[in-house]
Every structure is written in C-alpha cells, then in structure tokens.
Amino acid sequence: MQPYAHPSDHIQLHDLLFVPLFSEAKVRERVRELGATLSQQYHNKTPLFISILSGAFVFASDLMRDFDGNCEVGFVKLSSYTGTQSSGRVQTVMGLEKDLKDRHLIVVEDIVDTGRTLHFFLDHLRSQGPASICTVTFLRKPEALAFPVQVDHAGFDIENRFVVGYGLDYEGLGRNLPGVYQLIE
Ligand code: IMP
Ligand code: MG
C-alpha cells in the first residue's frame, strides 16, 4: 500500500491513519525526568532493568542511558496482542536468564492497557525472591485498566485509544517513530 500523502503530519501504517500525540522532544524530556527519578531512588544500588519485549526496547534503551549509576539490563518476551485488540492470553515467548534473588528489579513496559501483561509478569517475578520490584511504564491507559497492577512511574496517561511510535507497533510497523501517534477513529 502506498504511504498516505497528506495532511503532512498524518502517518499511515497498513490500513490505518494516525495523528501526532507526543512529539519526540516531549517524549525525550519526560524520559529524562523518569531517569532522574530512578537515579535518586536507586542511589548506590545496582538495579536490574527488565525490558518487556518487543515494545519496551526503545523506552528501556533511553531510560537506562538516563540512569546515573551502575545497572544491568535483561529482556523478556511476553505476548498478548494481535492487531489493535488484546487477545486475552499472555504467553512467555522468551524468559530471563538471570538470577533474580535479592536483586532490585525495575520492570520496564511500553504501555499498561488492561494491565494483564504486567499483572501476570509481576506474579512470576515475586516468586523469584527479588529484593524489590518497581514498575515503570512509558504510557498508561487508566480507562482500560482491568487488572490490579502496581505502576510506580508512568510517563504519560493517555485516553483509551490505540497508539504507535517510540517502540509501540501496529502489526509490526511504527516502532521506529521517535514520537507517539494516535489512531484516527
Ligand atoms: P495489557 O496487557 O492489556 O496491559 O497490554 C499491554 C501490551 O499490549 C503492551 O505491552 C503493548 O505491547 C500492547 N498494547 C496495548 N495498547 C497498545 C496500543 O495502544 N498500541 C500498541 N500496543 C499496545
Ligand atoms: Mg505490541
């Protein structure tokens, strides 16, 4: 399909059109603030960032570099989405190969929608005996929340609309957009 030509700030991914929600500058500013907050929170500790793939890899990469101090990173792949709707199931597609016992964990999510992914994953982490768990999500949709999840830091709260960019995709596309775009309905 040919890219949609205009208006110039619209983006077409597959069959859907998106409009800008947060600019690259606004995203970078907010992520720096979150990095500074975590740097204070984990002063003299060596936290393990756990990035939930695929969506959170962009956010985690910036957040780590905005973290002032020693830290490690690990990746886990969970999956619950197909297209623009949650499939209702959470699968672990790839696990962590690290010992989490007595570690300070910072779980990094791209977006908390229903909260199902995080709820499921936090249960799993708690059973591994970490010293502490903190959750950081780039975006959060408060209206969509259906599971009781602890979110310690959220970049932005947004409406219950489908978004792409900064790691978030629609059927594989849009992850490389440096800002965030919202679906036109
Ligand atoms: P939850 O388990 O319902 O909270 O959904 C979390 C996962 O669904 C996220 O990690 C995303 O991969 C995906 N997701 C939820 N909302 C969106 C969206 O608006 N755009 C792209 N992916 C989304
Ligand atoms: Mg996704």
Side-chain angles (χ1 to χ4, degrees), residues 23-167:
S23 69
E24 175 176 12
K26 185 159 183 178
V27 168
R28 289 300 300 129
E29 184 193 344
R30 183 66 185 122
V31 175
R32 278 201 192 93
E33 284 174 6
L34 291 171
T37 301
L38 292 175
S39 303
Q40 287 187 350
Q41 190 176 333
Y42 291 92
H43 183 67
N44 282 341
K45 297 191 175 112
T46 303
L48 170 62
F49 285 85
I50 300 178
S51 169
I52 303 184
L53 296 173
S54 298
F57 83 103
V58 176
F59 176 43
S61 151
D62 281 342
L63 193 62
M64 274 191 80
R65 284 175 294 171
D66 289 327
F67 182 82
D68 187 15
N70 288 333
C71 64
E72 292 181 37
V73 66
F75 300 90
V76 66
K77 189 158 175 65
L78 311 168
S79 178
S80 75
Y81 251 65
T82 41
T84 62
Q85 294 294 314
S86 183
S87 69
R89 287 170 295 123
V90 177
Q91 295 171 286
T92 308
V93 183
M94 185 186 99
L96 273 173
E97 276 141 34
K98 286 187 182 275
D99 185 4
L100 305 184
K101 181 128 184 58
D102 299 327
R103 296 299 309 265
H104 293 285
L105 309 180
I106 303 177
V107 179
V108 184
E109 248 295 33
D110 53 356
I111 187 164
V112 175
D113 184 22
T114 64
R116 178 182 291 112
T117 309
L118 208 52
H119 178 74
F120 163 87
F121 187 53
L122 288 176
D123 264 0
H124 171 74
L125 290 181
R126 282 187 203 104
S127 72
Q128 313 281 303
S132 67
I133 303 178
C134 159
T135 56
V136 187
T137 185
F138 173 56
L139 301 175
R140 174 169 57 181
K141 295 179 183 170
E143 290 163 38
L145 198 66
F147 289 76
V149 286
Q150 153 213 351
V151 174
D152 297 292
H153 306 286
F156 301 97
D157 281 334
I158 62 169
E159 281 176 40
N160 195 5
R161 296 245 211 112
F162 192 75
V163 294
V164 293
Y166 202 65

